[in-house]
Amino acid sequence: MSGDLPLNINIKEARWDQGTFMGRAQHFFMVTDPRNVLLSSKVLEDARVTVENYRLGIVKPGLTEDQLWRAKYIYDSAFHPDTGEKMLLVGRMSAQVPMNMTITGCMLTFYRTTPAVVFWQWVNQSFNAIVNYTNRSGDAAITMNQLGAAYVSATTGAVVTALGLKSLTKHLPAIMGRFVPFAAVAAANCINIPFMRQRELKCGIPVTDAEGKRLGESSKAAQQAIVQVVVSRIGMAVPAMAIPPVIMNALEKKAFMKRFPVLNAPVQVGLVGFCLVFATPLCCALFPQKSSMNVSSLEPELQESIRQSNPSITTVYFNKGL
């Protein structure tokens, strides 16, 4: 059964050229669109059915190409690319802006006291743990013990870093204290992401040929994927945690803000949100989602296996995660 829409549209790939930064940016502006968080279960299920049916050659009568691509991006925003499972709502990339703007805004607002630093770093790492698990690469399971160890390690690292830097900035200009949350978040990302994805480092992630045929699992590919994600996440935090502190440091000296200090948190959250709307997709676009590496860079045994079964293949591909 088929409709008027041709069956040769490759919705396994993005709509825009992923070989260019601009193409990847357009793709991630769609994937991270915060409005997708508000979509109902019915809309998500309809998108899933539309996408999966199209892949089977079944086209709903009257379906247009724009509607198909819209369904594909709704599907991508809510379902894991490797497992096909519906992702936790707060862990989806479409929830990054509303969740991060709230948490980051509060971290930047309430940074002066030790209890506030500990609490908001804990909240942030709890959220990051969910995001990192939800957007992991591959389809291998991770145990509760591994999840617990990653969560405790990342949270401890973030809190220790934040408190250590906070004590060092006591005798420095006040503006320096505002950047402590960013340093703590950057350090925690270097801990949290590898720990939450340690299963990939131990067992590898699926690598495929250009057509998507699975060739094996590679820990080397996992290492490259995790490094790329760490860089992207730190880059994502730079505008949101570096620009608002400078603006707020100036605003808090104004008579209006002194008169209405209750506006401090809402203004800071708003500034962070504005930065994140652009920083989130642009930093996700730093590296291709379908990353690649030379066969010669893989583990020796996997190289040998690929050369024996597919001697013409020189490059393999894998989902780097987000």
Side-chain angles (χ1 to χ4, degrees):
M1 184 177 87
S2 65
D4 297 327
L5 196 65
L7 295 173
N8 61 351
I9 301 172
N10 186 11
I11 58 170
K12 289 183 179 179
E13 303 296 337
R15 189 171 192 177
W16 297 276
D17 180 9
Q18 296 301 282
T20 68
F21 175 77
M22 287 306 299
R24 295 195 296 273
Q26 287 177 289
H27 167 73
F28 280 110
F29 268 108
M30 294 290 289
V31 171
T32 63
D33 188 340
R35 294 173 296 180
N36 289 340
V37 173
L38 304 175
L39 298 176
S40 67
S41 295
K42 182 180 184 305
V43 172
L44 296 179
E45 183 61 21
D46 287 345
R48 184 188 67 79
V49 170
T50 297
V51 169
E52 292 182 352
N53 280 350
Y54 184 83
R55 289 172 178 170
L56 295 172
I58 303 171
V59 184
K60 183 169 62 176
L63 184 71
T64 66
E65 184 173 350
D66 283 342
Q67 289 172 335
L68 175 63
W69 281 111
R70 172 62 178 156
K72 178 256 194 314
Y73 275 102
I74 290 175
Y75 176 85
D76 285 352
S77 74
F79 295 88
H80 194 277
D82 292 322
T83 65
E85 296 175 354
K86 185 186 287 187
M87 295 183 285
L88 293 168
L89 180 63
V90 297
R92 299 173 194 170
M93 291 308 292
S94 52
Q96 282 284 291
V97 171
M99 292 297 296
N100 265 327
M101 67 183 283
T102 303
I103 297 171
T104 303
C106 288
M107 277 198 296
L108 294 175
T109 302
F110 307 110
Y111 67 93
R112 291 184 173 90
T113 67
T114 298
V117 169
V118 172
F119 176 75
W120 285 109
Q121 287 294 337
W122 168 73
V123 170
N124 187 51
Q125 290 313 310
S126 298
F127 171 63
N128 282 344
I130 295 172
V131 172
N132 294 334
Y133 174 74
T134 303
N135 294 281
R136 68 198 184 281
S137 176
D139 49 15
I142 183 170
T143 68
M144 292 305 296
N145 285 340
Q146 291 169 332
L147 280 174
Y151 173 67
V152 171
S153 299
T155 304
T156 302
V159 171
V160 169
T161 302
L163 294 179
L165 290 175
K166 183 175 180 293
S167 65
L168 291 176
T169 59
K170 285 181 179 178
H171 305 294
L172 296 176
I175 184 65
M176 297 303 295
R178 292 181 177 272
F179 291 100
V180 168
F182 167 68
V185 166
N189 273 325
C190 295
I191 302 170
N192 195 320
I193 296 171
F195 264 95
M196 290 303 293
R197 295 175 60 174
Q198 60 185 292
R199 179 76 169 72
E200 300 170 35
L201 293 171
K202 292 178 181 178
C203 303
I205 58 176
V207 294
T208 70
D209 60 16
E211 282 70 49
K213 180 184 175 183
R214 193 161 177 162
L215 302 172
E217 288 74 38
S218 169
S219 296
K220 296 284 188 181
Q223 292 171 17
Q224 179 174 307
I226 289 170
V227 168
Q228 290 177 346
V229 171
V230 169
V231 171
S232 294
R233 292 286 188 84
I234 292 176
M236 207 180 292
V238 170
M241 302 191 79
I243 297 174
V246 175
I247 296 174
M248 290 304 299
N249 197 57
L251 286 179
E252 286 179 2
K253 296 174 183 177
K254 304 294 183 183
F256 181 79
M257 290 297 287
K258 289 180 178 178
R259 186 178 176 186
F260 300 102
V262 71
L263 293 177
N264 192 308
V267 171
Q268 192 128 238
V269 168
L271 288 170
V272 170
F274 179 79
C275 292
L276 285 172
V277 165
F278 298 97
T280 300
L282 293 177
C283 288
C284 283
L286 289 175
F287 306 99
Q289 183 64 31
K290 184 179 179 180
S291 197
S292 63
M293 66 190 307
N294 293 329
V295 170
S296 59
S297 299
L298 299 171
E299 295 86 340
E301 60 273 18
L302 183 55
Q303 289 184 42
E304 185 62 26
S305 172
I306 292 173
R307 285 170 181 151
Q308 286 183 0
S309 58
N310 302 277
S312 62
I313 294 178
T314 58
T315 304
V316 295
Y317 301 88
F318 54 91
N319 169 32
K320 72 174 176 65
L322 285 171

